[in-house]
């Protein structure tokens, strides 16, 4: 059976990656429809070498669509997902709008694929935040073995997480500075070139940012556990690939060797942990891959059952597009008729 797929936000960084994932994973696509703002309508993209004209996103865009992959920002998702569902499509949404809705499953296929069954409630499945996805992929096998009680995470997030304009801004600022010219800041509140910004999204009452609270709340929903989570999310001058320093406290001891064993066979994980030989996860290795790389595994000797990990993944692929397409694959495999 072939499935008619709409990509909403097709001209964005994640939308373009969704299209590439559908192609490279040979998703059984019948008709494909690329939807974007009026500004992008008329652009010609491709699917499997054939031209596809980008159409303006309207409430009537979803006739005959089986699966709608959304990555066009929260406002578009909030406004148009219900129309897509109304037209008979299942929405897989990359925005944060529906993630904490109790009637919407928040899914990482390696962690909680069983929750996809709940798609029938609202016709929407939420794709988690990129920094959450890579962390739970790595922590799931450790949690199953030793029950994680607490997570302390600091992230080092690539500018591609903000989108195309941020990628351009970093390029432009580096070029300007190397030419001895001033760096212009239009996307971020401060210069990102050769700098680190401890702010992703806006600040909340409790002093955390939206990004940090996403990691706290989404992790607990996906892992279906009352784990204590605290996060500091930082934007760094890297183009692709989010890195995370993660400290966990577990109910029972996990030795480094046991952790390596568990991670070596964990779905979606690649162990990169031979520091003596300079082997550890880095964005330059993770970019372009769908795996979550884990290394720098060492006991946290300051507490009884503590472990430190370094986790890196491509934030546009596994952090967004690949995860969404993997959800769609399970959907057509096990649920849609
Ligand atoms: C970021 N996680 O990195 C957010 C959204 N992709 O900007």
């Amino acid at each position: 059976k072939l499935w008619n797929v709409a990509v909403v936000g097709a001209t964005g960084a994640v939308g373009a990656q969704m299209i590439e994932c559908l192609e490279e994973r040979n998703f059984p696509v019948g008709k494909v429809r690329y939807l974007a703002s009026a500004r992008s309508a008329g652009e010609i993209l491709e699917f499997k070498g054939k031209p596809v004209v980008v159409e303006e996103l309207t409430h009537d865009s979803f006739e005959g669509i089986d699966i709608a992959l959304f990555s066009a920002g929260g406002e578009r998702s909030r406004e148009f997902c219900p129309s897509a569902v109304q037209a008979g499509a299942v929405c897989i949404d990359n925005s944060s709008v529906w993630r904490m809705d109790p009637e919407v499953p928040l899914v990482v296929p390696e962690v909680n694929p069983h929750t996809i069954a709940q798609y029938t409630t609202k016709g929407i499945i939420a794709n988690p935040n990129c920094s959450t996805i890579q962390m739970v992929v790595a922590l799931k096998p450790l949690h199953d073995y030793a029950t994680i009680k607490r997570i302390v995470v600091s992230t080092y997030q690539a500018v591609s997480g903000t989108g195309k304009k941020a990628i351009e801004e970093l390029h432009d600022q580096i070029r300007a500075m190397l030419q001895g010219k001033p760096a212009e800041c239009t996307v971020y509140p401060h210069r990102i070139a050769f700098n680190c910004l401890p702010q992703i999204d806006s600040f909340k009452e409790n002093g955390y940012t939206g990004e940090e609270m996403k990691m706290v709340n989404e992790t607990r929903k996906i892992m279906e556990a009352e784990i204590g989570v605290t996060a500091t999310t930082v934007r760094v001058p890297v183009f692709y690939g989010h890195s995370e320093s993660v400290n966990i406290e577990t109910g029972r001891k996990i030795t480094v060797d046991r952790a390596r064993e568990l991670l070596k066979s964990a779905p979606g994980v690649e162990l990169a942990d031979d520091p003596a030989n300079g082997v550890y996860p880095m964005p330059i290795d993770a970019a372009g891959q769908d795996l979550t790389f884990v290394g720098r595994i060492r006991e946290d000797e300051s507490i009884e059952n503590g472990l430190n990990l370094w986790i890196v993944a491509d934030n546009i692929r596994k952090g967004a597009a690949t995860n969404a397409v993997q959800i769609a694959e399970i959907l057509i495999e096990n649920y849609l008729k």
Side-chain angles (χ1 to χ4, degrees), residues 129-130 157 161-162 200 211 235 242:
N129 194 40
C130 40
Q157 298 184 218
T162 309
I200 298 177
E211 188 81 352
R235 189 72 67 192
H242 287 352

Side-chain angles (χ1 to χ4, degrees), residues 134-150:
Q134 65 186 71
M135 185 170 78
V136 296
V137 167
L139 295 188
K140 166 73 175 166
L142 307 180
H143 181 62
D144 288 350
Y145 174 77
T147 311
I148 296 173
K149 292 165 33 187
R150 182 169 184 260

Side-chain angles (χ1 to χ4, degrees), residues 244-306:
E244 297 176 347
S245 171
V246 175
N247 172 283
I248 58 173
E249 185 169 3
T250 50
R252 69 180 175 130
K253 185 143 202 66
I254 308 182
T255 64
V256 171
D257 289 345
R258 188 86 189 93
R260 285 189 180 133
E261 249 174 72
L262 290 164
L263 288 163
K264 208 177 288 177
S265 56
V269 172
E270 175 142 332
L271 192 63
D273 194 25
D274 181 6
N277 292 308
V279 176
Y280 31 71
M282 296 183 285
I284 55 174
D285 295 331
Q289 306 284 326
D290 288 327
L291 293 169
T292 296
F293 296 80
V294 187
R296 295 299 322 279
I297 303 169
R298 58 205 191 282
E299 283 191 43
D300 169 1
E301 292 159 353
S302 69
I303 52 173
E304 200 182 330
N305 299 329

